[in-house]
Amino acid sequence: MPRRRHAALLLVALSALAACSAGPSTRPVIAVRGGDQEQSQAAAPTGPREVPPLEEYRSTGLSWSPCTEATRLRMGGTAPQGDQEYECARLTARLDAPSRPGRGSLGLAVLRVGSGTSALVVVGDPDGEPGTLKAARLAASLPPQVLSTFTLIGIDRRGTGKSDGVRCVPDAARTGILEADPADESQEDLLESLGRASQECVLDLENRLKAVDSWRTAADLEQLREALGTAHLNAIGIGDGSKVLTLYASRFPDRVGRMVFDGAPDPTLDVMGVAEGQAVAAEQALKAFGEDCAVRRCPLGADAGQRFAALLDRLRAAPIRGLDFDLTPGTATQAVLIGLADRSRWPALADALVAAESGDAGPLNAFVAPLVLEQDESPPRLDADLITTCNDTTTRVPPERVAGLTSDWREKHPVFGAWYARELLRCGPFPVPQVPKPPQLTGAPPIVVVSTAADPVTPQAGTERAAQALPAGVVVGWQGGGHGALGQSSCATGLAQEFLVNAKVPTHGTLCPP
């Protein structure tokens, strides 16, 4: 019975609210055509400190061992070509649970690739590919000069990848969350699945539950910097990883090195504003996907959006049975959103939609399998994402409010509006955390922030506002589609390289062509 009493204590709501605001950006931007860059009318922001010099990292704080074959097996058929060699290590981090400050620990997986003498840490999204694998992929797509200057250090965030995993959501609840139809007028089934997820995670994780968040991930990066023996942390933040790096800069301002944010969450909107912004951006990304499909003459033809809508209608009438879960309107919507976020997988997404039209659920289900199934000894991604997201906010949106938003957004954003509205139910059953208030970030070196025009995860306008909230945020905009521009846009990648390697700050407001 002590365990149950402890779970009840964990469910006591704590409230603390940290918020910062900044108005929408009105700064002019200038396009880049070819290799020539024009100066914008707005002067580049200058921070109180210069770009820090590069310094050698030491590996004495970590014990590295070869892991090339194992890493390639984890990436499977999508492993990048090339002769990159990978080494892996484990970092012991402080747990820092709210009820047990300074007690407990957990292991974090790290990977390194490259021959450079300086370290460049890669931090990703909690629901995306683990940071170790993201670093391995980036190593194959970044310019060679980056890999000869830096050693990329990927880190699997708390509860993800090869780090001490979070696997607490019951299989049936996880499948129920995934398969829920966004067009369903009733919320009962989805709320039941979310309630079971919260109940089991509270019981299973106990003290660890509230230690899985972005605040403590920022502290993990400080421990990693110490283990690398460097005075400053150079880093690439991808999506939500940019928020972690912003927290890091607020908490450890004197340790900020050369940083690039590839997409960043909007710090000025509440959770409802963020969700609606993602719905708008997702529909833009679907349109860009369809246009790309038409140019490539892919099997979907020129009407990808219409065919996706028709597929959802067919799945409502008759879901396609799968081995581990079914292809339903909810599964298909989640799969398409994941596919839209990864520009390199757009051809595979088109093929998967065509296969689903023919009754083959396998290719589309493969997009969402990492969310709900354990793969290569890595836990399902949904669990850590759910807990991290709900630990990062004190906001809980009542079901009746979600019902109204669902009806409204279904009219405004017919493809994805209802799906994003119902996502607001996810944190309702979870304990309200005590979110620490970060110190105000008043000084930092320039940070390059790359936005993508049709980014369904971190919409362009929100990324620009995130840059505006920094003391010296420098925006580079890519007019393409997908989540993130590094490795996709040669223009944006080249500007990031110049900043990271040569400390050359790009022109603020530069636009890169699609």
Side-chain angles (χ1 to χ4, degrees):
M1 298 306 294
R3 189 182 188 199
R4 294 286 175 179
R5 288 197 298 271
H6 183 62
L9 290 174
L10 282 174
L11 286 167
V12 175
L14 303 171
S15 64
L17 183 62
C20 58
S21 62
S25 173
T26 58
R27 298 168 295 192
V29 293
I30 296 296
V32 175
R33 294 181 175 82
D36 298 328
Q37 301 178 26
E38 302 175 59
Q39 298 293 318
S40 73
Q41 298 175 17
T46 56
R49 297 196 299 275
E50 299 295 325
V51 178
L54 295 181
E55 54 198 355
E56 293 187 10
Y57 84 97
R58 301 190 303 272
S59 59
T60 54
L62 294 165
S63 180
W64 299 96
S65 60
C67 61
T68 300
E69 183 177 352
T71 301
R72 291 192 174 278
L73 285 174
R74 289 176 67 195
M75 292 187 282
T78 62
Q81 300 297 314
D83 56 357
Q84 288 89 3
E85 297 288 330
Y86 311 120
E87 290 184 299
C88 295
R90 202 153 188 86
L91 174 71
T92 300
R94 290 178 288 273
L95 181 64
D96 190 29
S99 60
R100 300 174 64 193
R103 297 172 59 191
S105 64
L106 74 164
L108 301 177
V110 290
L111 173 147
R112 70 178 179 182
V113 53
S115 58
T117 58
S118 297
L120 180 63
V121 175
V122 178
V123 188
D125 297 293
D127 65 337
E129 192 167 46
T132 53
L133 299 186
K134 195 66 178 178
R137 293 193 191 280
L138 273 178
S141 61
L142 293 178
Q145 190 177 5
V146 175
L147 273 295
S148 62
T149 303
F150 294 97
T151 293
L152 264 61
I153 309 286
I155 181 169
D156 291 351
R157 293 175 57 161
R158 294 184 170 214
T160 71
K162 292 291 186 179
S163 293
D164 285 352
V166 168
R167 196 186 194 285
C168 58
V169 179
D171 292 342
R174 201 181 293 115
T175 302
I177 294 169
L178 174 71
E179 293 182 351
D181 185 351
D184 194 343
E185 294 294 336
S186 172
Q187 301 174 349
E188 291 184 8
D189 290 345
L190 179 56
L191 285 172
E192 181 181 354
S193 296
L194 290 167
R196 291 179 63 190
S198 171
Q199 182 182 34
E200 291 302 316
C201 287
V202 167
L203 292 174
D204 288 351
L205 296 180
E206 297 184 330
N207 283 318
R208 291 185 296 148
L209 177 69
K210 292 185 180 179
V212 181
D213 64 1
S214 295
W215 178 266
R216 289 162 185 83
T217 299
D220 294 340
L221 296 182
E222 175 63 3
Q223 284 193 245
L224 177 59
R225 181 199 62 78
E226 292 173 350
L228 294 172
T230 59
H232 299 90
L233 182 76
N234 306 311
I236 293 175
I238 299 166
D240 191 79
S242 300
K243 179 177 73 176
V244 173
L245 290 177
T246 302
L247 282 172
Y248 180 89
S250 298
R251 298 180 64 182
F252 312 103
D254 294 334
R255 303 301 188 187
V256 178
R258 303 183 186 185
M259 291 188 175
V260 174
F261 295 176
D262 194 9
D266 193 331
T268 70
L269 299 178
D270 60 20
V271 294
M272 291 174 285
V274 169
E276 186 172 16
Q278 289 175 320
V280 172
E283 304 215 344
Q284 294 172 340
L286 182 62
K287 180 180 178 183
F289 166 72
E291 292 170 349
D292 177 77
C293 218
V295 170
R296 292 187 298 103
R297 298 183 179 180
C298 85
L300 281 177
D303 56 350
Q306 294 178 2
R307 288 178 65 171
F308 173 53
L311 174 64
L312 294 181
D313 290 337
R314 291 169 58 184
L315 292 174
R316 287 190 179 97
I320 302 175
R321 300 303 175 189
L323 292 176
D324 298 293
F325 51 87
D326 297 336
L327 184 62
T328 69
T331 314
T333 300
Q334 179 77 80
V336 167
L337 287 169
I338 291 172
L340 291 176
D342 189 346
R343 179 63 178 260
S344 68
R345 298 180 73 184
W346 281 11
L349 176 61
D351 292 341
L353 288 168
V354 172
E357 290 177 332
S358 302
D360 182 2
L364 264 186
N365 279 352
F367 279 86
V368 296
L371 284 178
V372 294
L373 301 177
E374 182 175 306
Q375 296 188 331
D376 301 317
E377 300 180 1
S378 295
R381 296 177 187 173
L382 183 145
D383 299 38
D385 175 52
L386 186 62
I387 294 170
T388 302
T389 299
C390 297
N391 279 342
D392 278 356
T393 178
T394 60
T395 301
R396 301 293 184 262
V397 185
E400 57 272 18
R401 175 63 171 146
V402 173
L405 292 172
T406 301
S407 177
D408 182 34
W409 293 1
R410 184 181 290 117
E411 295 296 321
K412 292 180 179 177
H413 323 295
V415 182
F416 297 116
W419 191 90
Y420 277 102
R422 283 161 61 93
E423 284 286 279
L424 295 170
L425 293 171
R426 288 196 168 198
C427 293
F430 278 81
V432 179
Q434 183 176 3
V435 179
K437 184 175 182 179
Q440 184 178 2
L441 180 58
T442 57
I447 295 175
V448 174
V449 182
V450 183
S451 68
T452 299
D455 186 332
V457 181
T458 46
Q460 181 182 41
T463 295
E464 291 177 350
R465 286 192 284 272
Q468 191 176 16
L470 297 170
V474 181
V475 174
V476 171
W478 178 42
Q479 295 176 299
H483 180 40
L486 296 183
Q488 298 292 331
S489 163
S490 59
C491 165
T493 303
L495 293 171
Q497 171 198 322
E498 284 296 309
F499 172 70
L500 291 170
V501 175
N502 300 318
K504 182 179 179 181
V505 180
T507 300
H508 177 63
T510 298
L511 278 184
C512 289

